[in-house]
Amino acid sequence: SQQGEEDPQALSIQEGENATMNCSYKTSINNLQWYRQNSGRGLVHLILIRSNEREKHSGRLRVTLDTSKKSSSLLITASRAADTASYFCATLVNTGNQFYFGTGTSLTVIP
Amino acid sequence: DAGVTQSPTHLIKTRGQHVTLRCSPISGHKSVSWYQQVLGQGPQFIFQYYEKEERGRGNFPDRFSARQFPNYSSELNVNALLLGDSALYLCASSLGTHSNQPQHFGDGTRLSIL
């Protein structure tokens, strides 16, 4: 079963706009990671945020984590057509060694 | 450096057959994980191996098994294939176990069951 749920399921924006997608999860975590998947390809790691961190930046990416609400958000600023992909959050649960992926947000950036 | 490589890229099988999927991790990575991704969904964790030992197992039936070799490459075996096993099977490697480390994915094996 999925540990995380992304919202929205699909998002369509114009090039240059910002894209925000959210992730909610169910249990305590060690860290939360965001991945991108282009159609028919493997996943690419974007950013990792630890459970004791609240915000992290990497280039045009900004990730926030609210462990009290069990949620995270990924902001992509100044989007480009090349950002078109599916985005997944992934969590490592404190107990056990399982890595859970959410259901994904499909982002389309229109040139 | 080569990334994670998986073979074959595509595979067609019939119900009841078995299949072996292969994965070569990034050089120096000792951990390999396997995921099943059904169309339109996120990857589902199947197994993690580290230093040739199973370190994690997802909620999959015993028809699914895996192993890791001394060179850290890995195989995923699925017996008695069902139509529902049709999916993209992804392999990911990391330096150590999952904690606080990104995973590096291959492009997967697309398995179709007829």
Side-chain angles (χ1 to χ4, degrees), chain A residues 9-23:
Chain A
Q9 288 188 330
L11 180 60
S12 183
I13 60 174
Q14 296 286 339
E15 202 166 30
E17 294 181 334
N18 296 341
T20 299
M21 51 205 86
N22 305 295
C23 165

Side-chain angles (χ1 to χ4, degrees), chain A residues 4-76:
Chain A
E5 296 276 341
E6 280 91 343
D7 170 61
Q9 288 188 330
L11 180 60
S12 183
I13 60 174
Q14 296 286 339
E15 202 166 30
E17 294 181 334
N18 296 341
T20 299
M21 51 205 86
N22 305 295
C23 165
S24 60
Y25 56 91
K26 297 176 183 176
T27 61
S28 297
I29 59 172
N30 289 324
N31 65 68
L32 186 143
Q33 304 183 24
W34 285 90
Y35 288 81
R36 184 188 76 227
Q37 185 178 34
N38 290 87
S39 179
R41 302 296 300 275
L43 283 77
V44 174
H45 179 262
L46 296 176
I47 195 166
L48 180 154
I49 185 165
R50 293 177 171 78
S51 57
N52 62 353
E53 297 176 311
R54 291 297 168 258
E55 187 171 314
K56 201 162 183 180
H57 296 257
S58 177
R60 295 184 296 112
L61 306 180
R62 172 178 172 259
V63 168
T64 62
L65 179 64
D66 187 334
T67 53
S68 66
K69 295 180 179 179
K70 293 186 169 59
S71 67
S72 174
S73 67
L74 170 67
L75 168 66
I76 303 174

Side-chain angles (χ1 to χ4, degrees), chain A residues 31 37 41-42 97-99, chain B residues 37 48 57 100 103 107:
Chain A
N31 65 68
Q37 185 178 34
R41 302 296 300 275
N97 206 30
Q98 292 201 28
F99 208 62
Chain B
Q37 185 176 24
Q48 191 214 15
R57 172 185 284 256
N100 292 335
Q103 296 188 78
D107 283 338

Side-chain angles (χ1 to χ4, degrees), chain A residues 81-96:
Chain A
D83 295 329
T84 295
S86 292
Y87 291 82
F88 296 91
C89 66
T91 55
L92 180 66
V93 180
N94 282 336
T95 58

